[in-house]
Amino acid sequence: MDFTMPLTELPSHTFSGAMYNPDLIHANTLNALLGEESEPAEKEESSLPQDLAELLDEGGTHEQAMAALEKAVLSGTFLDDDDFVVKTNSENPQAIWNDIKNDISNAPVLTRVDPKLVEQNVDSFRIFEITEEDDRMHLFINGALAADLPLGAISKTDFEKIIVFIQGVLDSISLAFALLGIGVAKGKTWATDLADNLKRPKSWLSTAKSAFGKFTSAYAKYKRYLADSPEETKKARKQDAATKAMDLLASAYLGFVGVILKTAWRIVKMVLTLIFGNIREVLRLLCQLTKAAIEWAGMGAAKLAFAIIDAILAAIAVWDDVAKWKELKS
């Protein structure tokens, strides 16, 4: 890795010697990580309509999902004031819904996972890396040095937790896309654009605690299963053991996706916007992901588990992020 890239000194009232590459990461982002952001953290409560948020928790039918999504789109839930269609009044929500509803309705709930598709998606999402050298911490984005900070300027653990959470969101989108047979349309600059928009990390960290808690619970249950019946576990066929494990992890994945789509859907939308650009396509994909999450939760984890096994065998990285999160918490 090349440490010779020219960096700019970060304007900071508290920490000196913090350097960053303005082409890769925004000064406001690092200032927020350093605790110099005055804007209060957002509350964890979902900003989605109650009926849609409840469906993400409890699951629902195709019809229930479509009805809730139609209501959300027509009310402008997934559109922000700075979206082009809102600023220009070029289209009303009903016209947008009429245009995308058939694609959302006809999208497959689950397909057999294509290993090549999963690998391509994961490769396009592995963008962050943190290293230490001497008394410095380095953040790389797509292999390029984005920030060079003195250790102690920010808690390395908190920094890593934020990055791991972001990576978990990216991997979850990748996994959901793979389960739906959707390939990532990777752009040239979206990774660095994402870094420029990593605002309010304290709020993201709070959301992460809730989301990764789903995985922590699943791991704890699986660990108890192994400890309580070691002889039975030894006798069990590998496929049976894998199915039981995936049933727990599928439940955790559904819980994670539910939290992300409820309390951090703007993060998901931001990622999709940076990758796909067109707001109509972003809205369609966001609705498709939400509909899939509702229907998967309604199916139960056992049915979803086999598809997730396929994705894991195809080298999806989301579980590595979960393991990393657990390590950071301990």
Side-chain angles (χ1 to χ4, degrees):
M1 296 180 179
D2 183 14
F3 285 83
T4 63
M5 180 177 294
L7 300 179
T8 300
E9 185 168 0
L10 178 72
S12 169
H13 299 297
T14 307
F15 295 101
S16 61
M19 309 293 289
Y20 76 108
N21 183 341
D23 291 332
L24 294 176
I25 192 165
H26 200 282
N28 289 345
T29 296
L30 288 181
N31 279 328
L33 289 167
L34 292 170
E36 296 195 357
E37 184 182 40
S38 60
E39 187 174 2
E42 294 178 348
K43 295 181 179 179
E44 282 190 69
E45 289 83 4
S46 174
S47 58
L48 295 182
Q50 183 177 355
D51 54 348
L52 185 56
E54 288 177 352
L55 284 174
L56 283 167
D57 279 335
E58 302 168 6
T61 64
H62 170 89
E63 291 74 18
Q64 288 174 314
M66 289 298 295
L69 283 171
E70 178 179 12
K71 181 179 177 182
V73 172
L74 295 184
S75 66
T77 295
F78 291 121
L79 293 174
D80 294 316
D81 291 340
D82 57 350
D83 286 329
F84 178 77
V85 294
V86 175
K87 290 173 67 175
T88 61
N89 293 317
S90 57
E91 294 179 282
N92 61 57
Q94 185 66 60
I96 296 174
W97 175 251
N98 290 342
D99 188 49
I100 66 176
K101 67 179 179 181
N102 286 338
D103 284 344
I104 299 169
S105 179
N106 296 330
V109 175
L110 282 176
T111 60
R112 184 159 184 82
V113 176
D114 181 350
K116 291 183 178 179
L117 179 64
V118 177
E119 290 172 0
Q120 290 170 358
N121 282 4
V122 172
D123 286 344
S124 71
F125 277 144
R126 307 305 296 180
I127 62 177
F128 296 103
E129 182 184 0
I130 297 175
T131 64
E132 285 185 8
E133 184 170 306
D134 299 327
D135 60 347
R136 309 289 295 184
M137 180 169 63
H138 306 110
L139 169 65
F140 292 88
I141 299 175
N142 276 347
L145 183 61
D148 179 353
L149 308 172
L151 289 177
I154 179 177
S155 164
K156 182 172 183 286
T157 298
D158 279 351
F159 199 143
E160 286 189 332
K161 282 183 181 179
I162 294 165
I163 296 301
V164 168
F165 172 56
I166 297 166
Q167 195 62 61
V169 173
L170 299 179
D171 288 339
S172 293
I173 295 174
S174 174
L175 177 55
F177 275 3
L179 293 173
L180 292 170
I182 299 173
V184 172
K186 183 183 177 185
K188 292 183 178 179
T189 63
W190 76 268
T192 52
D193 288 341
L194 174 62
D196 280 352
N197 285 276
L198 302 184
K199 304 293 170 51
R200 280 178 282 208
K202 301 291 190 299
S203 175
W204 289 29
L205 185 55
S206 180
T207 300
K209 290 177 181 177
S210 175
F212 276 96
K214 308 289 184 179
F215 285 111
T216 302
S217 175
Y219 275 139
K221 290 177 182 177
Y222 183 51
K223 188 175 181 180
R224 284 199 300 271
Y225 158 73
L226 292 176
D228 291 344
S229 55
E231 293 182 0
E232 290 183 16
T233 302
K234 289 180 181 178
K235 293 178 183 178
R237 293 180 302 154
K238 289 183 179 180
Q239 184 62 39
D240 291 340
T243 300
K244 290 179 180 179
M246 288 307 103
D247 183 48
L248 292 172
L249 294 176
S251 295
Y253 175 72
L254 292 176
F256 181 88
V257 172
V259 171
I260 293 302
L261 288 173
K262 280 197 312 173
T263 64
W265 66 265
R266 284 187 171 85
I267 299 174
V268 178
K269 180 185 174 187
M270 180 178 72
V271 173
L272 294 178
T273 300
L274 295 172
I275 298 172
F276 295 96
N278 184 285
I279 188 59
R280 183 189 297 273
E281 178 70 1
V282 169
L283 186 61
R284 183 180 72 83
L285 289 170
L286 186 58
C287 287
Q288 191 167 328
L289 287 172
T290 305
K291 171 179 167 286
I294 291 170
E295 292 186 305
W296 291 342
M299 291 167 56
K303 292 182 180 179
L304 182 63
F306 290 101
I308 291 183
I309 288 174
D310 279 347
I312 290 175
L313 293 178
I316 190 69
V318 66
W319 310 121
D320 292 334
D321 295 331
V322 176
K324 180 64 175 176
W325 178 264
K326 283 178 60 64
E327 178 184 327
L328 292 170
K329 285 189 66 179
S330 61

